[in-house]
Amino acid sequence: MALLEVKDLQVFYGVIQALKGISFEVSQGEIVTLIGANGAGKTTTMQTVIGLIQPKAGSIIYNEKDITKMPSHKIVASGISQVPEGRRIFQELSVYDNLMLGAYLQKDQKKIKDDIENVFDQFPILGERRTQIAGTLSGGEQQMLAMSRALMAHPTLLMMDEPSMGLSPLLVSQVFDIIKDMNSKGITILLVEQNAEKALKIADRAYVLETGAITASGTGAELASSPEIRKAYLGG
Amino acid sequence: MAVAINGLSLGAIYALIALGYTMVYGIAKMLNFAHGDVIMVGAYIIYTMCMFTWNIGSMPIWLSSLISFVVAMAVCTCLGIVIEKVAYKPLRGASPLAALITAIGVSYLLQGIAQLIWGADQRTISILDRLGTVNLGSYVIKWSAIITVVVGAIIMVCLVMFIKKTRTGRAMLAVSEDKGAAQMMGVNVNAIVSITFAIGSGLATFASMFYLPITSVSPTLGAMPGIKAFAAAVIGGIGSIPGAMLGGVLLGVVEVVCNSISAVASYTTAIEFALLIIILLVRPIGLLGKKRRIKV
């Protein structure tokens, strides 16, 4: 039984159909990646799963529960977190407040405190800047904060939307190391990436999304070696 | 000295109302023009409850007045939540103009209902001004003004602490900055919007209580302080909480100072709005308003 099962999902923006009935699944413990060009519908897919966009048709089953029509705060409470595209940290709030918001649905105050200390151990720069306004952090630091914020919720499934966007090559590698590390700690990951090369390398399975429809799927290695995929997404 | 206290006192009233405008704008991104009329409803409830409870023989007047105030606060808080749920929530996502027109409609609706219930006559009631005056040196100052300043300051400090330090306050700031991202944190945006309207209306009830010593109760009681407090919120930078406080106090002090100088007293309102225009010309985002970052 898959942890997340998306069936025939259709989403419209007005009269424009952004998702034309896509189906995919993510099993417990996997890293699954959705690759595709800009405008293919990757971000729409993630936002629909977490309840920010209502689909016109189709279903989203998570942990054997239908979450298609659930409000987003209940979806988050059931164990799905998201690192959104463009990070969307709260620029006007402090690093500490951002992390506290990540733990918004956590009840155990002591555990929240420990979690924050763990974040500061892992990313000392965030600890040094805990009272600083998050908007003043560098792009890389903001990405670390966005990932840490999502982890504060102790997600079962973490959806990451373009986590490497706008980062230097060194930081991109670091981000992918962190993703692997989170996965090895038991977090299931759904990854949307423009950096198809690196995404396919760490992914157990992958789907290719083209203008709102899934056109290919397979293991990361299979897709990475397919000539069409290489041509379209991996620069030959 | 008396001018200073009276100015601060009027300023505190404007600030309490302006906070309601600015918080609702920050969270729901709409201008709630019915906010002033919540003050009017609060004033009528206080009036009616006092008329009723003061006649209960054994109860001291301060206690029955306090009970009247608490009832008014409960009614106004519920009213704020209901207005949002019935009139504004269905329009979320509609054009800002639709919400604005609806707010103006709600404003007239409340005035109409008040006129049906209580009639158009002006009524006066003396609650806080029963406390009389105090002599500070050679100055005679009303207790009501002192209470307004002190209680107003305490409320504002509590509000700032609530927003900065509590989980709900943090969620309000998050929704105000990025609603979608706040939802991804598990924040229930509908609940936060309701809480915001509740707090705004609760603050408005304090404004009703403090405004009673300087006005008479009528269905249009809320119009003038409402529009001035809205100007105060814009002067301070709409969406900014410290801005609403600063703008309110500034406008209140300017109003009382102008009124105390006989040569300009008849131009007071004109001067206040001229101040608004000048500040917006020099600094379009208001004194403490934040420039919205440009999204890439």
Side-chain angles (χ1 to χ4, degrees):
Chain A
M1 188 68 203
L3 179 66
L4 178 74
E5 196 179 355
V6 172
K7 266 191 253 168
D8 194 33
L9 199 63
Q10 299 190 36
V11 172
F12 286 77
Y13 293 122
V15 291
I16 298 163
Q17 188 163 16
L19 293 181
K20 299 166 181 165
I22 65 164
S23 302
F24 65 92
E25 54 179 61
V26 182
S27 297
Q28 181 88 43
E30 278 190 312
I31 299 181
V32 171
T33 184
L34 287 177
I35 58 174
N38 270 341
K42 297 169 296 186
T43 299
T44 303
T45 306
M46 290 207 161
Q47 297 210 326
T48 309
V49 169
I50 207 154
L52 292 185
I53 298 174
Q54 290 304 312
K56 186 146 199 177
S59 66
I60 305 164
I61 312 291
Y62 171 75
N63 232 344
E64 298 176 31
K65 259 192 325 216
D66 188 345
I67 61 166
T68 319
K69 292 210 155 53
M70 234 185 228
S72 53
H73 62 274
K74 288 198 175 142
I75 296 175
V76 174
S78 70
I80 302 181
S81 281
Q82 184 173 4
V83 180
E85 183 181 19
R87 305 183 265 275
R88 285 168 81 170
I89 57 163
F90 299 106
Q91 308 250 348
E92 287 159 24
L93 303 184
S94 69
V95 168
Y96 174 82
D97 282 338
N98 268 276
L99 292 172
M100 287 300 281
L101 278 158
Y104 186 72
L105 295 174
Q106 303 297 305
K107 295 275 176 278
D108 185 344
Q109 290 303 316
K110 173 153 191 338
K111 198 158 163 245
I112 294 173
K113 243 179 147 176
D114 291 346
D115 288 342
I116 287 184
E117 287 313 313
N118 287 339
V119 169
F120 293 159
D121 284 343
Q122 195 183 356
F123 304 113
I125 189 79
L126 294 182
E128 282 166 33
R129 306 194 165 174
R130 61 192 296 163
T131 58
Q132 204 169 312
I133 298 301
T136 62
L137 299 180
S138 73
E141 288 158 9
Q142 292 193 13
Q143 187 59 49
M144 302 307 154
L145 179 59
M147 291 194 291
S148 305
R149 183 182 66 175
L151 288 178
M152 291 294 295
H154 291 277
T156 309
L157 172 65
L158 180 61
M159 303 195 293
M160 306 184 86
D161 197 347
E162 307 275 11
S164 74
M165 191 167 66
L167 299 182
S168 70
L170 188 69
L171 280 168
V172 170
S173 299
Q174 201 186 339
V175 164
F176 277 94
D177 287 343
I178 294 167
I179 296 173
K180 273 190 282 185
D181 181 56
M182 292 188 301
N183 182 244
S184 69
K185 286 175 181 155
I187 300 173
T188 306
I189 289 174
L190 177 59
L191 175 67
V192 155
E193 257 302 333
Q194 279 178 331
N195 192 333
E197 177 116 41
K198 279 206 146 61
L200 289 175
K201 209 172 276 172
I202 65 164
D204 296 303
R205 289 185 310 106
Y207 295 88
V208 178
L209 200 56
E210 267 173 34
T211 55
I214 285 176
T215 53
S217 64
T219 65
E222 274 167 19
L223 289 187
S225 59
S226 138
E228 295 97 73
I229 305 290
R230 293 206 66 81
K231 195 152 177 247
Y233 301 105
L234 303 174
Chain B
M1 179 75 179
V3 169
I5 295 283
N6 288 338
L8 286 176
S9 142
L10 186 61
I13 295 171
Y14 287 161
L16 287 170
I17 308 168
L19 282 166
Y21 278 110
T22 221
M23 288 173 69
V24 163
Y25 181 82
I27 300 289
K29 307 289 179 236
M30 69 163 291
L31 295 170
N32 177 17
F33 271 117
H35 189 55
D37 300 288
V38 175
I39 302 160
M40 176 270 295
V41 173
Y44 269 115
I45 307 279
I46 293 172
Y47 172 86
T48 309
M49 284 296 296
C50 282
M51 287 298 143
F52 174 68
T53 54
W54 283 355
N55 292 326
I56 300 172
S58 59
M59 207 189 289
I61 279 189
W62 68 266
L63 181 61
S64 51
S65 305
L66 185 67
I67 291 172
S68 304
F69 172 69
V70 172
V71 170
M73 187 137 165
V75 171
C76 286
T77 305
C78 295
L79 180 66
I81 295 172
V82 169
I83 290 174
E84 193 275 325
K85 287 256 184 271
V86 174
Y88 303 152
K89 195 178 163 198
L91 291 171
R92 234 182 271 162
S95 89
L97 206 54
L100 186 69
I101 299 288
T102 306
I104 294 171
V106 171
S107 164
Y108 283 115
L109 178 70
L110 291 177
Q111 290 180 19
I113 293 173
Q115 192 164 339
L116 276 178
I117 299 176
W118 289 286
D121 300 342
Q122 303 211 341
R123 299 147 192 258
T124 50
I125 182 167
S126 117
I127 305 169
L128 285 177
D129 34 358
R130 279 167 180 265
L131 295 165
T133 55
V134 59
N135 295 315
L136 285 180
S138 57
Y139 304 105
V140 181
I141 292 162
K142 282 171 154 185
W143 269 115
S144 62
I146 295 173
I147 290 174
T148 302
V149 172
V150 173
V151 176
I154 292 171
I155 294 168
M156 287 186 244
V157 170
C158 291
L159 181 71
V160 169
M161 295 301 280
F162 170 76
I163 287 170
K164 284 224 154 97
K165 299 288 174 200
T166 66
R167 175 174 173 272
T168 305
R170 214 178 272 125
M172 291 170 76
L173 292 173
V175 172
S176 153
E177 190 184 325
D178 185 340
K179 196 171 110 186
Q183 283 174 292
M184 288 177 206
M185 304 296 110
V187 174
N188 179 347
V189 170
N190 286 337
I192 294 295
V193 171
S194 289
I195 291 170
T196 306
F197 272 85
I199 293 176
S201 306
L203 295 175
T205 323
F206 277 101
S208 313
M209 187 70 177
F210 296 149
Y211 201 51
L212 281 174
I214 49 178
T215 189
S216 54
V217 187
S218 74
T220 53
L221 168 145
M224 211 50 190
I227 198 77
K228 284 191 178 165
F230 173 62
V234 175
I235 286 174
I238 188 103
S240 158
I241 286 172
M245 298 177 186
L246 177 67
V249 171
L250 188 67
L251 211 59
V253 169
V254 167
E255 181 168 333
V256 171
V257 168
C258 288
N259 277 337
S260 70
I261 305 168
S262 58
V264 295
S266 49
Y267 302 110
T268 298
T269 307
I271 291 169
E272 284 171 87
F273 287 100
L275 181 72
L276 168 72
I277 292 169
I278 292 165
I279 287 176
L280 288 184
L281 283 175
V282 178
R283 208 176 143 74
I285 51 174
L287 292 174
L288 300 180
K290 277 179 231 140
K291 244 188 210 126
R292 279 281 148 187
R293 75 207 134 92
I294 299 150
K295 277 192 185 160
V296 187

